[in-house]
Amino acid sequence: MTRHDPPTLPAHRPGASRQTPGAADDPGPSRTTRPWLPTLLYSLGFLTVYLLAICTPWGQRVENALFDLGTNSGKEAWIYPLSGAAYGSTPLPPLELSARPTLMVGLAVIVVLTLVRRCWSQGCAALGVVILTTGGKEVLKSTLPRPDLVGARENLLDQGFPSGHTAIPAALTLAAVLVVSPRVRPYVATAGVLWLACVAAATATLGGHRPSEVLGATLLACAFHSLATWLLPPPVTAAPGAGPLVLPLSTLTPALAIALVSAARNDSLTRSLVSAATAFICAALVRYAALGRPAHTAHTARDTRAAPA
């Protein structure tokens, strides 16, 4: 009988022929990436804040008690001269009557950036984030009930959930990062986060809105932004400077300082600290939504590294 030599090629193993070196331990983006998860988490956060702060007696008592600290006058806030409430003062956008002009200017800037950079899908997504956030807060303020569970004073029943003044800087910041160049995206996000920290703290400490309303507006903007990034097609190349570790300290540290100063009051340290903490949480949420979750970019970068030469 003729003796046959064993084959020199290794035995075939299912799934091994198409793997590239170094990729065997990588389960792949399809198994680990859940691009819909941030949208779900932001939406659940929004619903949780509403249910706990607005629809429970103890949540209402906690927030109503903040208005009883001090004199409940906006004049005691350090930022009152920039609130627009003082006669002849110029409001910090988008406080008081500057809200609508700020929104219009922001939308115009997004349109111009979209036309200049010809990023049509990103531009439409950015406009959608602003329109849905600002329009959604109007619908929610008129439809979400605010039951009076603790017999609150009449002036404590007027505020609406979520806050419109906070929704504008949050939405414009998250929209801007969709249409600017990847190289300047971290700096645009930083400027927007600092702006949001100031406005959110001022809105809370001046008494225009409760902390839950400020936080709810930010979560609403983050939810629509995450939905937009989920629906956008993945980029062809990885976006430089958009990783989760880009400028974290240089953004959040001054945001905390701005929140503390903007929330400061002469009559109540507790109310100042609560307003500052709320503003800082809003700033951290927007910063993370804008720069901390480049899901499509990470996906593309892994595919590029794994592709054979």
Side-chain angles (χ1 to χ4, degrees):
M1 297 179 64
T2 303
R3 181 178 179 181
H4 296 281
D5 294 331
T8 58
L9 295 176
H12 174 73
R13 289 177 298 173
S17 60
R18 296 185 180 180
Q19 287 183 345
T20 57
D25 296 333
D26 186 4
S30 61
R31 299 183 187 181
T32 60
T33 303
R34 297 179 177 88
W36 46 265
L37 187 59
T39 305
L40 176 62
L41 292 178
Y42 288 129
S43 301
L44 290 177
F46 178 87
L47 182 61
T48 300
V49 170
Y50 170 73
L51 292 177
L52 293 181
I54 309 299
C55 298
T56 63
W58 59 267
Q60 290 189 7
R61 288 192 181 97
V62 168
E63 290 201 303
N64 291 346
L66 291 175
F67 290 86
D68 295 329
L69 297 176
T71 62
N72 197 27
S73 172
K75 295 181 180 181
E76 296 296 329
W78 292 8
I79 203 170
Y80 179 77
L82 297 178
S83 66
Y87 178 77
S89 64
T90 301
L92 172 71
L95 299 181
E96 291 293 336
L97 299 179
S98 65
R100 182 168 296 180
T102 302
L103 180 60
M104 294 297 103
V105 171
L107 288 173
V109 171
I110 292 173
V111 171
V112 171
L113 289 173
T114 302
L115 295 176
V116 171
R117 300 194 67 242
R118 298 183 179 180
C119 49
W120 312 121
S121 57
Q122 290 85 351
C124 292
L127 291 175
V129 170
V130 178
I131 294 173
L132 289 176
T133 300
T134 56
K137 64 92 180 174
E138 292 292 342
V139 174
L140 292 172
K141 286 176 66 173
S142 60
T143 57
L144 288 178
R146 179 187 288 276
D148 183 11
L149 304 177
V150 296
R153 300 194 308 268
E154 184 177 356
N155 65 319
L156 295 179
L157 302 175
D158 295 336
Q159 292 93 350
F161 181 91
S163 165
H165 292 100
T166 307
I168 292 176
L172 289 178
T173 298
L174 292 173
V177 298
L178 293 175
V179 294
V180 298
S181 169
R183 293 186 180 276
V184 302
R185 187 172 299 152
Y187 307 102
V188 171
T190 297
V193 165
L194 298 182
W195 178 33
L196 172 64
C198 180
V199 173
T203 302
T205 198
L206 287 169
H209 284 282
R210 305 164 186 262
S212 63
E213 296 166 351
V214 173
L215 185 58
T218 304
L219 288 168
L220 184 66
C222 290
F224 283 124
H225 174 266
S226 62
L227 177 62
T229 56
W230 175 24
L231 298 177
L232 281 174
V236 177
T237 57
L245 299 180
V246 175
L247 303 176
L249 294 179
S250 61
T251 300
L252 294 183
T253 301
L256 177 59
I258 290 176
L260 288 171
V261 174
S262 302
R265 294 178 60 91
N266 297 320
D267 56 350
S268 175
L269 178 61
T270 301
R271 184 169 174 179
S272 300
L273 292 178
V274 171
S275 300
T278 303
F280 179 74
I281 293 173
C282 293
L285 285 170
V286 169
R287 194 266 167 199
Y288 178 77
L291 299 178
R293 187 181 42 80
H296 296 305
T297 298
H299 183 159
T300 309
R302 284 194 297 268
D303 292 345
T304 303
R305 289 195 300 266

